[in-house]
Amino acid sequence: MNKATRKAIIAGNWKMNKTATEAAALIADLIPAVKNADCEVVICPPFTDLVKAVELTKGTNIHVGAQNVHFEKSGAFTGEISADMLKDLGVAYVITGHSERRQYFAETDVTVNKRTAAALAAGLKVIVCVGETLEQREQGVTAELVALQTKIALGGVSADDMKNIVIAYEPVWAIGTGRTATSEQAQEVCKNIRAVVAELYGNAVAEATTIQYGGSMNAGNADELLGKADVDGGLIGGASLKPADFAAIVTAASK
Ligand code: PEP
């Protein structure tokens, strides 16, 4: 990555794991493990752990993110959480468009865009996830599909807002499967995404935008993936629940 123009970010997506009590124990282990990081460190626990996570990470280099957000400001949306609610808690980041939301909860490019806009309006930083399924990769449409997902997700987002946007390239076939994209595949798609950002906002914004790779990144493959020019960090699922592994990935991103 180009550390002169952009920041490496390692974010842990805990998915639906850890009660608040378990989260406290994990955070207690993570704090010393990542304290010397030379990159941004983010943890995204479930909603029910956010209060505890914000409280326990105060004064540390760990930032807290949520895994989803609703796009309406408030009202009759039973079971949903607004961007203002997250901001008020001290949450800094939110993930939008994770493939598990797209796959299991009817998330579409349009709702990803609405969630992204609502989060930005509330002053949150947004990790926007894009990525192709195995079938789409085999059909040879990865570049077009990821470009389309990126463009729709960023609809209405200003060049100035782009400083609060992180894009995570997450091939669906690599998430939670133990099957990682090769570093060449990750680089190729991250580079394409940067070209899309350049087309929309110009080179300076594209060069300043953090583009992560996500999909079975672990302590063993992080060095190689993060060594690529356009891979500026990682969105980490499984390995983010293991402090030593997560810390090893943070160390790889700190080089
Ligand atoms: C994720 O949940 O975004 C992810 C990349 O998961 P895993 O690292 O487990 O593949």
Side-chain angles (χ1 to χ4, degrees), residues 76-97:
F77 302 100
T78 302
E80 294 296 328
I81 304 285
S82 75
D84 288 341
M85 291 170 182
L86 296 174
K87 183 70 183 173
D88 181 66
L89 285 187
V91 167
Y93 281 83
V94 65
I95 299 170
T96 61

Side-chain angles (χ1 to χ4, degrees), residues 42-195:
V42 183
I43 56 169
C44 302
F47 286 130
T48 48
D49 300 352
L50 289 173
V51 170
K52 185 122 262 179
V54 168
E55 179 193 313
L56 294 175
T57 55
K58 210 160 263 168
T60 76
N61 61 337
I62 300 178
H63 303 268
V64 176
Q67 298 172 18
N68 189 24
V69 64
H70 192 57
F71 38 80
E72 296 293 346
K73 258 190 110 50
S74 63
F77 302 100
T78 302
E80 294 296 328
I81 304 285
S82 75
D84 288 341
M85 291 170 182
L86 296 174
K87 183 70 183 173
D88 181 66
L89 285 187
V91 167
Y93 281 83
V94 65
I95 299 170
T96 61
H98 192 280
S99 66
E100 288 155 13
R101 302 290 323 166
R102 294 179 191 255
Q103 194 177 346
Y104 304 129
F105 301 99
E107 189 76 81
T108 66
D109 290 330
V110 172
T111 54
V112 174
N113 173 246
K114 289 166 80 169
R115 291 179 209 281
T116 301
L120 288 172
L124 296 167
K125 293 178 194 288
V126 188
I127 300 174
V128 181
C129 300
V130 295
E132 81 288 2
T133 62
L134 186 57
E135 192 183 10
Q136 290 161 340
R137 173 161 284 270
E138 286 168 355
Q139 286 167 337
V141 299
T142 298
E144 291 97 321
L145 185 101
V146 169
L148 194 77
Q149 289 176 331
T150 304
K151 285 182 181 175
I152 298 174
L154 296 180
V157 173
S158 70
D160 190 46
D161 279 337
M162 283 301 289
K163 62 179 182 304
N164 291 321
I165 292 279
V166 175
I167 300 172
Y169 166 52
E170 297 216 307
V172 179
W173 48 273
I175 297 177
T177 58
R179 185 174 164 186
T180 317
T182 64
S183 56
E184 288 75 21
Q185 288 171 325
Q187 164 61 19
E188 186 185 11
V189 183
C190 289
K191 189 174 172 203
N192 287 345
I193 293 170
R194 199 174 309 285

Side-chain angles (χ1 to χ4, degrees), residues 13 15 98 100 170 174-178 214-217 235-239:
N13 172 19
K15 313 195 191 207
H98 192 280
E100 288 155 13
E170 297 216 307
I175 297 177
T177 58
S216 299
M217 193 187 278
L235 183 55
I236 322 295

